[in-house]
Structure formats: C-alpha cells, structure tokens
Amino acid sequence: MRASGQHFPGGDETSLPSENDPDQIDVTVIGGGLAGMAASIHLVRAGLRVVCIEADIADATPVGESLDWSAPDLLAGLGLPMQRLIDEGFGTWKRHVTLKLPDGSTTHYIPGEWLGRPPLNIELRTLHVDRVRLNAAVREIAIRDGVRILHDRVTEIETRDRTVISVTTEQDTRIASPWFIDASGSSARLPRTFNLPASDYGPHKVAIWSYFTVTESIEGTTLHAEGDCTSYMDWVWEIPIHANTISIGFVAPGETIKALRASGQSVDDILRTQLDRFPRFRDLMRSAPAISTSVTSYRCRVHSHIFGPNWLVAGEAAAMVDPMTSNGVTAGLRHASEAAALIIKYRHRDRLPWLAAAMYSRRVQDVARFFNCGIEKVIYDGPIRNRIGIKIAGDVYTIPAWSLNNVYARISPSGVISSMFVCLLLGAFRVAASVMYSFCKYEQAPCEAAG
Ligand SMILES: Cc1cc2nc3c(=O)[nH]c(=O)nc-3n(C[C@H](O)[C@H](O)[C@H](O)COP(=O)(O)OP(=O)(O)OC[C@H]3O[C@@H](n4cnc5c(N)ncnc54)[C@H](O)[C@@H]3O)c2cc1C
C-alpha cells in the first residue's frame, strides 16, 4: 500500500499523508471535475486540508459549454469573473437562446431588459465557455490555493454503517479522513456504495459533437430542432465557444442512435446526416470534408438521500440534469459551494446534523427534478409540444426555469425555511407541468391523432 501520489502536471510536489497519519487530511474529494475542484477550493480557502482524487488527468473531451445565467457568479466566487473569462479568451458572451426550425423560422428567448434595471438588477449576460480551458483554469486555482490532487482512481470505499472510513485507489493508496465529498460524475461512487434511491428522467440519450471553424460566429446558443409533430424530440446545439470556433452537437435517444448504427452509419455519418437537415449547416459540412467527433451517452438520474454522517454527494454524481437545460455547470458549482459550506460549518463536530444535511439533499434533488421534469414533459415528449407548438412550449419551459433559477440564486437557501420555500415553488411548477402533460396527452394533438 502506497502513501504518496502522482500529481497533475504543474501541481506542487506535495506528498500525501500516510494512512498512519490520517489527521493530516480533513476532507477527501472523489473526482476532480468542476464540482470536485470547486468544492476543494472552497474547503482549502476555509483552512481545511483537502485531497482531491481524479482518475482522468487528460480530461480531453469535457462537455457543457453553454452556461445558464447563474453560473457566472459561481465562477466569480472561484476567482474567474465573467469579464476576465471573456478578456482571456475562455469563451464568448451569451445573451439569449435561439430556436431554429428546418423551415428557417427562428424564435429568440431573451430575458427582458427591465430585469436588468433597479430594483432587480439581474445580470442579463452569461457565457459560452471552452471547457478544456475552463477546467484547466479551475484546476490551476485549486493547486495554487493548496488542494492536493492525486491522479488515481478510487476503487474501494470502506464504510461502517452509514459512515465512510476511507477510500482506496487503483494504485493501492488508502486515504482516511473525517469528511468526504463524492463528485465522481456519472460514476456516482457513494450513491452506488450506499445503494441510494434514484429517479430517471427520459430515455438513455447519446450526444455526438464536433468543433468547426467559422468566419462569422453567431451570438448566443442556438438549438436546431424538428419541433412539432414528433413523438420524442432530438436536437442539435450550436455554441460559439470562441469567435471563430463553434461546437455543434446532436442529441437523440440511445435507441435512435443504435438503429442508425445498425443500418451501417458511423458516428461521423450520423452527425453529418443530422446536420444536413438544417440549411445553416449544409455549407459548413461541405467545407469540412473530415470531422473528428466525440460521443457520450447518459441518463438523467436524480439521487435522493445524498448525505451521510460524514459525507455528501455533489455535481453530476448527485443529479444529472439534461444538457438542454444548460444547468449542469451551475448545479455542479452550486452543490460544491453548499456542500463545502456545510462541512466548514460543522467541521468541529463528529457528524453533520441530520436536518442541515437533509435540506442540502432536498435542494439538490428538487432543483434537478424541476429541470428534468420540465424539459422532458414540456419539450422532449410530444403531448404538450405538439398541442401548443414548439415555440410556445419554449416559453412555457424557459420562463419558469429562468425565473426560479434566479430566485434560487437571490435567496441562496440554506436554512429550513428558505429551503422549503424554494422546494415548494419548484414542486408547484412540477405539478403544473404534470397536470398540463396529462391533459394534453388525453386531448391528443391533431398530428399525434393522425400519426
Ligand atoms: C452531452 C452533454 C452536454 C452538456 N451540456 C451542458 C451545457 O451546455 N451546459 C451545462 O451547464 N452543462 C452541460 N452538461 C452538463 C455538464 O457537463 C456537467 O453537469 C458538469 O460538467 C458535471 O461536472 P461534475 O464535476 O459533477 O462531473 P464530471 O465533470 O463528470 O467530473 C467527475 C470527475 O470524476 C472523475 N472520477 C470518476 N470516477 C472516479 C473515481 N472512481 N476516482 C477518481 N475520480 C473519478 C472523472 O474522471 C471526472 O473528471 C452537459 C452534459 C452532457 C453529457
């Protein structure tokens, strides 16, 4: 069994404490994606000694480039304010979202200017980011602030009842500490270890994406979709991560991709064929004879009871929100900040108070359910969208999603009353979406009845 670890390039040569000296570490963070790094930064800044274990240092194809309106404040809290990210070429401004249909018609979803004026003073801009550069910048801050990063994979978790005692890595390093945060993304190490209950939203989906050089970049995130009269919607994202680079990705149910693969299409063929449906991409495809694609598959899954006496789960390990919501980065950074705040507050006790941890879990769960339920019922699935049309469905989803996300950011719920208030609001929208969905399903839209 080893007692020291390798580090990310550029990391300080700091040795890990041995298992005989567990007091040297206060918090072990599993996973060094955005959520794990952000949690580690908050913790070290409060004086805790943190080891963050990250399995994949290459981090070659991170995804999640279109940020929602709450992400910039959370990034600023880490030391990456919006203006700096723009000035240093980490991304581009995002002021609105556009929906484009194959017939060329376009709808813009733009927050009203009055929201930016007193007394609300809401920031009406957010960002698209180059995730390779953003992740590297966050990691650099973590190393500078004193997070010890171990390049290794957690393979075993030692527990006693519901308490985590230690983790052991592939390279046989055992790390014990009083507190643990699981930010291992879709690996969801602690949810699996404790067999936590989970709810799934929508089918398994696959995303295929690539990057293109353009001479004229668009402003804002654009979603290209067939729109009306489809039973389950697939879509294409177009995100300008730099002035002359756009990220284009196709998202569809796993079954659809499986059928296309079975018909002999390669992943590149699938992306090309799908993009060919939209006039905007035809010329682009012709000018790019070879494309290099990335692929990932995922399921939107929300875990419950994501806490124990000495551990919390954060980021995608706790709850995966659908990419169309653009809420994944915000969620990861928010969980990181709230989970770290709980550990910092109760660091001198031997366990987290049940109510405070349960409220954290409830907020994470209810926000993710709200986004996933809204996007699945109003946009992806057919009944509501086909009845009211994709453009109005866009408003029905976007207005509450944008507003409630802002309410959350303003209130920053942490206590019981503010948490329950926010959870009630989120629950009310979910109920309204479900009632509307059932009604529209019963009163089938003309295109569904015909087809
Ligand atoms: C196709 C797609 C498009 C998306 N688009 C957007 C978007 O436009 N906007 C947005 O806000 N969000 C988007 N998201 C979501 C966003 O990318 C994620 O929510 C966010 O990056 C998750 O961060 P995380 O740190 O929780 O997880 P991750 O980034 O997955 O980090 C988890 C880390 O844990 C490490 N790890 C896993 N297991 C172990 C282990 N056993 N030991 C050690 N380390 C381990 C992994 O290597 C990884 O680095 C998208 C997601 C997908 C799938």
Side-chain angles (χ1 to χ4, degrees):
M1 194 154 296
R2 287 159 24 90
S4 65
Q6 292 165 270
H7 299 269
F8 284 122
D12 287 340
E13 257 321 298
T14 5
S15 63
L16 276 173
S18 78
E19 68 177 293
N20 300 326
D21 191 11
D23 288 345
Q24 267 195 300
I25 300 175
D26 298 310
V27 192
T28 306
V29 177
I30 310 172
L34 271 191
M37 282 294 154
S40 303
I41 292 170
H42 292 302
L43 291 162
V44 280
R45 284 182 183 170
L48 282 92
R49 291 157 298 184
V50 182
V51 168
C52 178
I53 309 168
E54 168 54 45
D56 173 20
I57 85 167
D59 195 18
T61 53
V63 71
E65 297 152 333
S66 175
L67 307 188
D68 77 10
W69 275 257
S70 299
D73 273 352
L74 294 157
L75 286 171
L78 298 176
L80 294 168
M82 262 205 293
Q83 194 62 53
R84 176 179 158 199
L85 291 170
I86 291 289
D87 291 347
E88 295 184 12
F90 282 76
T92 64
W93 292 115
K94 168 179 167 186
R95 293 182 176 86
H96 69 300
V97 175
T98 301
L99 170 69
K100 273 197 176 163
L101 304 183
D103 64 8
S105 65
T106 297
T107 310
H108 298 290
Y109 301 95
I110 311 173
E113 278 192 14
W114 59 275
L115 291 159
R117 291 197 283 267
L120 293 176
N121 298 317
I122 292 173
E123 172 58 78
L124 301 179
R125 300 167 305 175
T126 179
L127 299 172
H128 309 103
V129 283
D130 175 335
R131 280 294 301 270
V132 174
R133 289 201 60 193
L134 180 72
N135 288 14
V138 173
R139 192 177 302 145
E140 222 170 86
I141 292 173
I143 291 168
R144 187 199 66 202
D145 286 359
V147 177
R148 284 180 277 183
I149 299 171
L150 173 64
H151 171 212
D152 208 339
R153 176 180 297 279
V154 170
T155 47
E156 273 172 52
I157 298 178
E158 184 193 352
T159 62
R160 191 177 308 128
D161 301 324
R162 290 231 349 142
T163 301
V164 177
I165 306 296
S166 69
V167 297
T168 303
T169 67
E170 213 162 52
Q171 293 178 38
D172 222 13
T173 302
R174 178 180 178 273
I175 299 174
S177 60
W179 305 102
F180 292 83
I181 291 182
D182 177 13
S184 62
S186 55
S187 304
R189 289 298 319 209
L190 287 178
R192 282 171 211 244
T193 301
F194 290 107
N195 203 13
L196 301 183
S199 316
D200 292 333
Y201 292 82
H204 277 107
K205 289 177 192 146
V206 173
I208 307 172
W209 72 98
S210 188
Y211 295 91
F212 296 85
T213 303
V214 287
T215 45
E216 235 176 82
S217 180
I218 43 140
E219 196 276 310
T221 298
T222 307
L223 309 184
H224 302 260
E226 219 47 87
D228 301 333
C229 290
T230 53
S231 55
Y232 196 86
M233 203 176 87
D234 52 44
W235 58 287
V236 170
W237 79 63
E238 181 182 3
I239 302 173
I241 59 165
H242 297 295
N244 60 349
T245 311
I246 53 173
S247 157
I248 301 181
F250 171 59
V251 179
E255 285 302 317
T256 306
I257 303 293
K258 205 167 148 190
L260 293 170
R261 296 283 285 133
S263 74
Q265 289 194 43
S266 69
V267 169
D268 292 5
D269 296 338
I270 295 172
L271 186 59
R272 276 185 179 282
T273 321
Q274 295 304 323
L275 296 187
D276 209 43
R277 289 186 293 160
F278 301 96
R280 157 121 178 110
F281 298 127
R282 281 182 205 136
D283 287 346
L284 195 63
M285 287 295 105
R286 268 183 230 117
S287 65
I291 53 174
S292 151
T293 48
S294 302
V295 187
T296 189
S297 66
Y298 61 91
R299 182 95 193 250
C300 294
R301 175 162 294 170
V302 180
H303 289 103
S304 319
H305 309 301
I306 49 163
F307 65 100
N310 70 336
W311 55 269
L312 295 162
V313 189
E316 219 166 275
M320 160 93 197
V321 282
D322 190 87
M324 204 195 282
T325 66
S326 288
N327 181 255
V329 168
T330 289
L333 297 176
R334 224 178 233 163
H335 302 172
S337 150
E338 294 184 14
L342 270 183
I343 291 178
I344 292 163
K345 186 168 178 186
Y346 299 108
R347 63 205 273 187
H348 299 302
R349 299 198 187 176
D350 61 352
R351 57 191 297 147
L352 293 168
W354 184 87
L355 192 58
M359 285 297 113
Y360 165 78
S361 171
R362 192 69 209 226
R363 292 192 300 273
V364 167
Q365 180 188 323
D366 281 15
V367 171
R369 282 181 168 176
F370 160 79
F371 277 107
N372 283 334
C373 172
I375 207 83
E376 285 296 332
K377 288 203 156 63
V378 180
I379 305 289
Y380 274 112
D381 227 342
I384 295 180
R385 175 170 43 84
N386 290 336
R387 170 148 287 273
I388 62 179
I390 177 77
K391 293 174 187 167
I392 301 175
D395 278 325
V396 169
Y397 166 76
T398 308
I399 293 169
W402 194 87
S403 310
L404 287 181
N405 205 26
N406 261 297
V407 168
Y408 194 105
R410 282 279 160 124
I411 295 182
S412 291
S414 58
V416 178
I417 293 174
S418 54
S419 299
M420 291 320 289
F421 172 71
V422 167
C423 291
L424 266 174
L425 282 181
L426 297 167
F429 175 81
R430 270 198 294 136
V431 171
S434 298
V435 170
M436 191 172 172
Y437 180 87
S438 304
F439 174 79
C440 292
K441 195 162 183 168
Y442 181 73
E443 294 273 318
Q444 259 185 345
C447 58
E448 284 179 304

